[in-house]
Amino acid sequence: MKLIVSESHGQSAKLAAGQIEQCIQNKKDALLGLATGETPVPVYEQLVLAHKQGRVDFSRVRVTNLDEYQGLEQDDPCSYYHFMRGNFLDAADIPDGRFTIPKGNAEPAAELRRLNAFAAANVTDLQLLGVGVNGHVGFNEPADVFQDGYHIVELTGETKQSNACYFPGREIPGKAFTMGVGNIMRAREVVLIAFGEKKTSALRHVLEQGPVTPRVPVSILKFHPNCTIYVDKALMRGITPGPGIEVL
Ligand code: PGA
C-alpha cells in the first residue's frame, strides 16, 4: 500500500486526479468506480478541468458509483445520481448509457439483481473511495461480517448525523443501496482520499499495525494489492504507519 501525505486536501485531490487520468490514458474505456461526499469534490474539479483543457479523453470512459439512498428518485436534489451529474458527469460529457448507479426508488430485489449482474460482468479498473468517520466505505457500515456484493444497508446514527446537512428541512433516508466490500476489493486499483483530524481514527485502522475487521470496514484495504491513500498532514497527526506501508 502506498501512502502520500500532502500539505492540504487540495494538493491530495490534484495527485489523486492525476492517478485517475493516468488510468484513463492507459485504458481509454476504463471503468471508474466513483464516490460521493465532500472529499472527492475537488478531485472531480481537477478531472473536469483536465477534460476542458483536452488533457484527458472521457469519450469512452464508463462510470459506476458506490451507493445511493433508498427511496430517492434520481432527480431528487439529494440523490447521489444528482450529485454525480452536477459535480462531474455533465461537465465530463458522460451520458447515462455509460453510468451505472443504484436506482434509489427501484424495487429492491430486482435492482440488486441488476447491480450484481453488472458487477459480475465488469471489473472496475480504478475505484475512488472516501471514508466515513466510523470507517465505512461506500455505505458498508461497521458490522459483524464483510458483505460481498451489492446489498441494502441500514445507516448508522453516526452516518445519518454526518450527512444530515445534505438534507436541509427533511429527514435523511434510513437505508441505502451500496456496493459490497467484495466488489470494492475486486477493483484493479483503489485510490482512497481523506483529510482532516476527524478521519484520523478511521485511517489508523488501515495505516497502523492491527486487525482487519468488519467493525472498521476500511481496514480491509490492508489486503488490497494495489491501493494508494492520499491524506493531508492534519489527518496524519498521531498515526505511525506500520510495515507494508510505502510512504511517498
Ligand atoms: P465525506 O464522506 O467525504 O463527506 O466525508 C465520506 C464517506 O462517508 O464515505
Side-chain angles (χ1 to χ4, degrees), residues 36-40 130-132 136 138 166 199:
T36 52
E38 177 191 8
T39 311
V131 61
H136 73 205
Y166 300 115
K199 303 286 174 75

Side-chain angles (χ1 to χ4, degrees), residues 6-23:
S6 296
E7 287 297 328
S8 67
H9 179 47
Q11 190 59 32
S12 296
K14 268 190 194 160
L15 296 171
Q19 186 169 339
I20 295 169
E21 287 168 33
Q22 191 60 56
C23 170

Side-chain angles (χ1 to χ4, degrees), residues 152-193:
I152 290 178
V153 66
E154 188 119 11
L155 301 177
T156 61
E158 202 171 16
T159 296
K160 285 198 277 189
Q161 209 178 329
S162 295
N163 291 5
C165 56
Y166 300 115
F167 289 82
R170 56 193 277 205
E171 207 170 320
I172 181 167
K175 292 184 179 178
F177 287 90
T178 187
M179 187 185 277
V181 165
N183 299 129
I184 292 170
M185 289 297 284
R186 283 189 284 277
R188 293 196 169 96
E189 194 174 348
V190 169
V191 170
L192 183 140
I193 177 163

Side-chain angles (χ1 to χ4, degrees), residues 20 73 92 105 122 126 232 246:
I20 295 169
E73 303 279 342
N105 61 346
N122 296 276
L126 185 151
D232 69 343
E246 194 184 338

